[in-house]
Amino acid sequence: MLEYPSPSKGASLILAFRPRKILIIGSGPLAASRAFSALEADSEVHILAQGGLEDACDELKWRASQGQVTLSNWTALIPSASTSAGNPDEMAGLEKFLDDTPGISLACITDTAVRPHRRSRESCERVYRTLKARNIQVNSTDVPELCDFTFTSTHRVAESALQIGVTTNGQGCRLSSRLRRDIISKLPPTTAAAVRNVGQLRKGTSQLRGGEDDGHDQAEGVSVSTRNHPPSETKPESIDIPEYCGSASTQSVPQIGIAASGQESGLPTTIASAVRNVGPQVSQDLDDDGHDEIEEDSAVSTPNRPVPTRSPTETETESTRRRMKWVAQVSEYWPLSKLASLSPDDMTALLEGRVPETPLTQSLMSLALPPTPAHNLPNSKRGRIFLVGSGPGHPSLLTQATHTVLTRLADLVLSDKLVPDAVLALIPKSVEIRIAKKFPGNAEGAQMEMMEAAIEAANRGLTVVRLKQGDPVVYGRAGEEVLYFRAHGLEPLVIPGVSSALAAPTFANIPVTQRGAAESFTVCTGVGRRGKEITLPAYERARTLVILMGVARLAQVVDALVASDAGARRQGAAYPGHTPVAIIERASMPDQRVVTSTLRDVVQALESSGEQRPPGMIVVGWSVLCLYGKGDTGVLEEGAEKGDEGRVERWLAGGRWRVEEGVDPSWGLL
């Protein structure tokens, strides 16, 4: 029977949760904080407290006077008989309140932490049992064993739908607040604008028809960290204000992670204006092509699905599905700065899918005015074109020549979609940047559009930089661009870049050649022109095979390598199922991931690792394991193949795959 990864206990379940009706027990500052968070989640808030309105804090008195919360006096609900007997039955009062207020799904007991009317541990336990008997989930302040969920340290971007929450699962409540602040400080200033625009795009997928926008509805969500077993916190990680005082913009909400929700905070105004219009969930009759843009924890692992062109006969469902695919593509690939700068017209054009036939003057990616010479006089001198490679992604791997061209010479940068923000951030603000919209299904049209853009700008006397990932001539289509530009009277200068075919394996501790393990290497693509299958090389024990652009089609690639009857899909001998293989994603970037396994198990290994992280590549061969741990450079010795199964078992420590995240911290010094 197949084995699957073992869960690491102690985490919390992350939910986007918007309870309709919440009960808050207590009327102090912490209760006010919880009420504010619940109100921002559009919940109906009921406050139950001893002494009622008279003993409530000023904020709750004000909110009650404004009709924002309903505040009930618990004392008045206790049966008079028990009160006169000197033994007031609080639980009878609570039962009466719950009978009169059906539909409560969440309760927060806050009066265990503050005075007056501080609740004892025994009383809290009775309240907890009463609520649980009605299937109400409970958070008990400072009583972790009586908590079904806990609050996180949360930041809400002002007047927006973006919330970011952090939990250490009880290991450091104050530390979670510090980590949250650090995360917020590192967000680009355009983050919220990008979220807002993507939200509008999502809304448009179901509302746009024939280019018309039907409205600007909003969808909000709140997350909560939940548990089915007692958490170990000594205090909920919800507020970083001492003694849980205050509310307003710094308050936490029931959330963990990043969700579409709230309003108050203190990020730069460019973020604060950014995320307001996250659209409602779209048509529920979509297939999984749409699901990956409806649910934020998408079960669909790859964004690289072909986007069909618009058809005049498409149904409403097909139209929505097509738009959802476009939204998934731009969410994955476009820089946050570009997403943030989308205008309503840009979004309408994008959702209408006017590609690849869109005229250059209507280019979806021309989101800024074309640059003109400073003197504004006619320019009779033709410009020039540079074809440059940006390397695998880490900005320190740019060549000096490429850095000079980008930072000192460029008037217009035409960038491929896979060039990361870290590289684009080096380009001066005065330089226009356009991102190629090369998504599955429209690559040819997008390629032509970028070449036409380069010619048009160069004819106006501008210096154009055609920026590609890796090396421009290693599956970068630089050759056809050279010929196209030359045919139009422009001779481009091609500047080499560090190819990801070589750099990515190095970042994964895999040498493409290694004495005793790999005498040669071959680089090929995993997909042919217009999505056709290609013929892959035969198995050679002493060779490393590097496959670019094949991760999204991993199952087909693996089948072509190992099948005994591969036919035209492979040139010769089949690869043994135990051949080591590595999937390297986002090489050189902070979120780099390397999944190592065998051809037999790699498809399942990647699927179990979560959603894909383009760009990715496949490395196949014995070099994959040769430098791991103590190393193994005896692969090519005579008769070594007899010990291959044991070699692989030692390498994977008896497992079937290994997943490694991130890059060596020393790269941060560069």
Side-chain angles (χ1 to χ4, degrees):
M1 187 174 181
L2 293 177
E3 295 181 1
Y4 295 90
S6 298
S8 298
K9 301 294 186 179
S12 296
L13 182 63
I14 301 173
L15 303 171
F17 187 43
R18 299 179 66 198
R20 295 183 179 179
K21 193 177 293 188
I22 289 181
L23 168 62
I24 299 173
I25 295 177
S27 57
L30 178 56
S33 168
R34 298 288 189 249
F36 179 79
S37 299
L39 289 170
E40 290 210 308
D42 294 335
S43 296
E44 180 182 319
V45 180
H46 292 263
I47 310 292
L48 181 63
Q50 298 286 357
L53 189 63
E54 182 180 348
D55 289 346
C57 68
D58 289 342
E59 180 177 341
L60 286 181
K61 288 179 180 178
W62 181 84
R63 295 198 184 281
S65 70
Q66 299 297 308
Q68 296 179 6
V69 302
T70 301
L71 204 158
S72 301
N73 187 345
W74 195 341
T75 306
L77 296 173
I78 298 174
S80 57
S82 65
T83 304
S84 60
N87 185 26
D89 188 355
E90 274 195 322
M91 295 310 104
L94 177 58
E95 293 280 9
K96 176 174 173 49
F97 174 84
L98 295 174
D99 289 338
D100 295 340
T101 317
I104 292 174
S105 58
L106 213 65
C108 303
I109 305 174
T110 66
D111 55 1
T112 54
V114 292
R115 301 181 185 275
H117 309 301
R118 184 168 187 172
R119 186 170 302 280
S120 68
R121 170 67 171 74
E122 293 74 16
S123 176
C124 181
E125 187 170 354
R126 289 195 297 271
V127 173
Y128 177 83
R129 287 200 302 264
T130 300
L131 294 169
K132 290 299 291 180
R134 294 178 180 247
N135 293 320
I136 297 173
Q137 301 300 301
V138 183
N139 172 270
S140 304
T141 303
D142 285 347
V143 191
E145 61 271 25
L146 300 181
C147 288
D148 302 308
F149 65 93
T150 58
F151 292 88
T152 64
S153 178
T154 305
H155 184 104
R156 181 174 187 181
V157 179
E159 298 182 357
S160 72
L162 179 63
Q163 290 177 276
I164 298 177
V166 178
T167 180
T168 60
N169 286 306
Q171 301 306 302
C173 302
R174 292 298 175 190
L175 178 61
S176 66
S177 296
R178 174 184 172 183
L179 294 175
R180 173 182 53 79
R181 294 192 299 270
D182 287 347
I183 292 170
I184 293 297
S185 68
K186 290 177 173 60
L187 286 177
T190 54
T191 299
V195 178
R196 178 195 62 207
N197 287 339
V198 170
Q200 292 175 334
L201 284 171
R202 287 185 60 186
K203 175 188 60 182
T205 60
S206 59
Q207 293 183 345
L208 273 178
R209 189 64 178 171
E212 297 180 357
D213 193 341
D214 296 326
H216 296 279
D217 294 338
Q218 291 184 343
E220 297 182 347
V222 177
S223 258
V224 62
S225 167
T226 66
R227 291 174 178 269
N228 287 326
H229 56 87
S232 57
E233 280 102 317
T234 58
K235 186 170 288 187
E237 298 178 337
S238 57
I239 302 174
D240 56 353
I241 299 176
E243 303 301 328
Y244 297 101
C245 294
S247 57
S249 62
T250 53
Q251 295 311 307
S252 296
V253 296
Q255 163 161 0
I256 181 172
I258 300 178
S261 180
Q263 289 207 342
E264 297 295 326
S265 216
L267 287 182
T269 56
T270 50
I271 297 185
S273 66
V275 207
R276 288 188 286 270
N277 296 321
V278 175
Q281 294 190 353
V282 300
S283 173
Q284 296 302 306
D285 59 357
L286 298 179
D287 60 12
D288 60 357
D289 292 329
H291 172 80
D292 60 348
E293 190 52 29
I294 296 173
E295 296 293 344
E296 296 191 62
D297 63 340
S298 166
V300 179
S301 61
T302 176
N304 290 322
R305 294 188 169 180
V307 180
T309 56
R310 186 182 184 189
S311 168
T313 60
E314 69 183 2
T315 65
E316 194 70 49
T317 298
E318 291 170 338
S319 174
T320 302
R321 185 178 297 127
R322 171 177 54 78
R323 294 174 186 136
M324 290 303 294
K325 290 182 179 181
W326 274 115
V327 173
Q329 289 289 318
V330 300
S331 297
E332 177 68 38
Y333 290 115
W334 286 10
L336 288 175
S337 57
K338 188 62 67 177
L339 289 171
S341 63
L342 286 172
S343 70
D345 288 343
D346 295 324
M347 288 186 272
T348 298
L350 175 65
L351 290 170
E352 285 305 302
R354 282 177 275 176
V355 290
E357 295 83 6
T358 304
L360 177 62
T361 55
Q362 297 176 347
S363 169
L364 297 178
M365 295 310 299
S366 299
L367 303 178
L369 293 175
T372 56
H375 48 66
N376 289 323
L377 297 175
N379 192 345
S380 60
K381 181 181 178 181
R382 298 189 82 184
R384 52 187 173 178
I385 300 175
F386 292 92
L387 277 169
V388 306
S390 66
H394 197 288
S396 69
L397 295 177
L398 289 174
T399 65
Q400 186 65 51
T402 294
H403 188 276
T404 298
V405 168
L406 289 175
T407 59
R408 296 171 55 188
L409 302 180
D411 295 314
L412 170 65
V413 175
L414 303 174
S415 174
D416 280 353
K417 68 178 184 181
L418 294 178
V419 176
D421 271 350
V423 172
L424 298 178
L426 299 174
I427 302 170
K429 303 282 187 191
S430 59
V431 177
E432 181 189 2
I433 302 174
R434 302 185 195 176
I435 311 298
K437 51 183 182 296
K438 286 186 181 179
F439 304 135
N442 77 308
E444 299 301 324
Q447 174 73 10
M448 178 58 67
E449 187 174 2
M450 295 299 275
M451 293 191 295
E452 289 178 353
I455 293 294
E456 188 271 340
N459 284 337
R460 289 192 287 118
L462 303 181
T463 296
V464 181
V465 178
R466 185 69 177 92
L467 181 61
K468 297 175 175 289
Q469 199 214 19
D471 182 273
V473 300
V474 180
Y475 295 106
R477 305 186 70 164
E480 56 195 87
E481 295 191 26
V482 168
L483 296 177
Y484 184 86
F485 297 148
R486 186 177 295 160
H488 287 75
L490 289 160
E491 188 66 29
L493 178 65
V494 181
I495 300 178
V498 177
S499 174
S500 59
L502 298 177
T506 300
F507 272 88
N509 198 33
I510 299 171
V512 292
T513 63
Q514 169 63 44
R515 186 175 183 180
E519 296 173 344
S520 64
F521 68 94
T522 296
V523 180
C524 71
T525 178
V527 59
R529 192 173 184 180
R530 301 185 188 277
K532 294 181 179 178
E533 281 195 297
I534 67 163
T535 301
L536 294 170
Y539 174 68
E540 290 185 16
R541 186 174 180 83
R543 179 171 66 188
T544 302
L545 176 61
V546 178
I547 305 173
L548 305 180
M549 299 174 291
V551 176
R553 299 167 178 82
L554 181 62
Q556 297 94 308
V557 170
V558 170
D559 185 66
L561 292 175
V562 302
S564 57
D565 56 347
R569 296 182 298 160
R570 191 185 62 242
Q571 289 177 339
Y575 287 66
H578 58 251
T579 305
V581 59
I583 308 297
I584 308 172
E585 300 171 297
R586 300 276 295 165
S588 81
M589 301 305 292
D591 58 342
Q592 172 182 294
R593 182 174 66 184
V594 181
V595 180
T596 48
S597 185
T598 61
L599 287 174
R600 181 188 301 121
D601 295 320
V602 70
V603 173
Q604 187 178 1
L606 184 62
E607 290 175 350
S608 71
S609 300
E611 64 181 7
Q612 293 178 18
R613 304 179 186 179
M617 69 170 61
I618 308 167
V619 182
V620 185
W622 294 100
S623 62
V624 172
L625 60 69
C626 72
L627 292 187
Y628 185 82
K630 295 181 179 179
D632 188 343
T633 57
V635 174
L636 301 184
E637 295 178 1
E638 186 175 353
E641 61 273 11
K642 296 179 181 178
D644 282 351
E645 292 284 2
R647 176 176 288 110
V648 169
E649 185 176 358
R650 290 191 298 274
W651 167 54
L652 293 176
R656 294 166 57 203
W657 56 75
R658 178 183 294 111
V659 180
E660 297 172 291
E661 303 258 1
V663 297
D664 190 309
S666 297
W667 280 100
L669 303 175
L670 306 177

